Amino acid sequence: MGLFSMLQAKKQKKLDIKAEIMNEALSEVFTDCYYSLEEKIKAETVRDSGLIDEWNLDTDSYDMKKRFEYRGNDYFKGKYKGHEIECSDVDITKYFTVIDTDEDGNQEEREDFETSFKGIWMICKLEKSLDAMVRMREKEDTPIILRKIVGKRKQVKSDVETENTSFNEQFQVLTDNPQKAFYVLTPHFMEHILSADKKAEGRILLSFSNDKVHIAIHNRKDSFEIKKGSEIKEPELLKKRIQSELKYATDILDELLKNQNLF
């Protein structure tokens, strides 16, 4: 066997081990679970959540100077406490044109990029339907050099203000129906989101529309991957880590499903 074949065989063995452990880990959390290493949530589904700025479905307003590349893997779907869910790793990169001007006033275009989202994206179908769109996005930190001027977090406008000042400071709320937004923004749920955020090690984004809730954790990580050789020798370590990476999203789901008066 040649070197290339040996490396391919080693890689395939690692993927087979990962798939086996993923299926085992998921089956302990979800029922009727289907897992695919290569698949991902459809780009249109993620885009329609409205959680990614400037990613617009309206092709008439499409700016050719901005484009988005959508990638993902580790897709699975099933049921969580009787509710349909789907989830995958998602990686969204925004490419855009920058115009540099030199000392003589000469201009030159170049392409730059930034990571719009990278992390776990989970969608759950709820029992009740909300006739509105409500989006909650954790505000991004302000660069240290500007914090004395504008505060720790970037000043972004929300469509509603709640009585929870800590929540207002930390989260932006966007909605097409401010009154119905408070069907979601209950005092208990806001406190839970603030508590969950401390554990998530990433930026939390939520979108409610009709009977679907999107729960996204922007932690800039490629989750569910084998990171150490010890996780192959001791697969229980990988299984526990996979389940811990999912727990941020399922804890939020638990809180939503516990609230019988939601919507």
Side-chain angles (χ1 to χ4, degrees):
M1 180 182 294
L3 178 61
F4 178 76
S5 298
M6 289 178 63
L7 291 174
Q8 285 294 101
K10 185 176 180 180
K11 179 181 179 181
Q12 187 58 51
K13 182 179 179 181
K14 186 176 179 180
L15 293 176
D16 290 343
I17 292 173
K18 175 188 168 181
E20 182 179 347
I21 297 171
M22 278 290 292
N23 277 302
E24 185 177 340
L26 294 172
S27 67
E28 293 181 7
V29 181
F30 307 98
T31 57
D32 301 331
C33 201
Y34 161 82
Y35 168 72
S36 169
L37 173 66
E38 300 295 337
E39 293 180 50
K40 56 187 175 292
I41 294 175
K42 291 181 180 179
E44 293 80 3
T45 302
V46 170
R47 185 168 50 184
D48 286 349
S49 72
L51 290 172
I52 306 300
D53 280 337
E54 300 181 298
W55 198 9
N56 198 327
L57 270 176
D58 183 1
T59 54
D60 292 335
S61 65
Y62 180 70
D63 184 351
M64 291 300 292
K65 293 186 181 298
K66 296 188 183 73
R67 64 181 179 86
F68 287 81
E69 182 177 358
Y70 180 83
R71 298 181 298 274
N73 63 358
D74 288 318
Y75 172 86
F76 61 91
K77 63 180 179 179
K79 290 185 177 179
Y80 183 73
K81 298 184 177 180
H83 296 263
E84 295 177 10
I85 64 99
E86 62 175 331
C87 181
S88 76
D89 255 345
V90 166
D91 188 345
I92 304 169
T93 303
K94 179 174 73 174
Y95 294 87
F96 50 92
T97 300
V98 177
I99 300 177
D100 293 325
T101 305
D102 63 21
E103 296 177 352
D104 299 323
N106 299 314
Q107 294 185 336
E108 184 177 352
E109 289 190 358
R110 64 178 173 85
E111 188 176 64
D112 205 346
F113 69 92
E114 64 182 27
T115 299
S116 295
F117 181 88
K118 185 172 183 178
I120 296 172
W121 199 292
M122 182 179 288
I123 305 169
C124 179
K125 185 176 182 181
L126 301 171
E127 291 180 352
K128 298 181 181 180
S129 183
L130 179 68
D131 186 22
M133 174 174 270
V134 180
R135 293 171 285 160
M136 285 175 268
R137 304 190 294 192
E138 184 180 1
K139 297 177 184 178
E140 297 180 272
D141 286 337
T142 301
I144 294 175
I145 194 171
L146 296 176
R147 285 187 184 177
K148 288 185 179 180
I149 303 173
V150 298
K152 183 179 178 182
R153 297 189 180 273
K154 290 183 180 180
Q155 301 302 302
V156 291
K157 186 179 181 300
S158 287
D159 291 334
V160 298
E161 290 287 314
T162 75
E163 294 182 357
N164 189 322
T165 54
S166 295
F167 184 87
N168 295 339
E169 180 183 340
Q170 195 158 332
F171 284 86
Q172 177 193 38
V173 180
L174 300 172
T175 181
D176 55 2
N177 191 322
Q179 183 178 359
K180 290 189 176 181
F182 286 97
Y183 293 175
V184 176
L185 295 170
T186 64
H188 194 276
F189 183 64
M190 287 188 289
E191 286 295 338
H192 180 82
I193 292 299
L194 288 171
S195 176
D197 177 61
K198 295 177 182 178
K199 306 172 187 176
E201 298 178 354
R203 185 175 173 229
I204 293 179
L205 302 93
L206 301 170
S207 175
F208 296 81
S209 183
N210 297 319
D211 61 351
K212 298 284 180 64
V213 55
H214 292 244
I215 302 171
I217 313 295
H218 178 36
N219 54 20
R220 298 183 181 274
K221 296 178 181 178
D222 187 3
S223 302
F224 315 133
E225 300 300 322
I226 297 176
K227 298 179 180 179
K228 302 176 182 178
S230 58
E231 291 182 330
I232 296 178
K233 297 176 182 178
E234 298 181 61
E236 192 67 23
L237 294 175
L238 178 59
K239 186 174 80 170
K240 287 182 178 179
R241 182 167 60 76
I242 290 168
Q243 292 173 341
S244 71
E245 289 173 340
L246 286 167
K247 197 172 187 302
Y248 305 128
T250 55
D251 278 353
I252 293 173
L253 268 184
D254 284 338
E255 185 62 28
L256 288 171
L257 299 179
K258 188 166 55 179
N259 185 356
Q260 298 297 320
N261 297 320
L262 185 70
F263 305 173

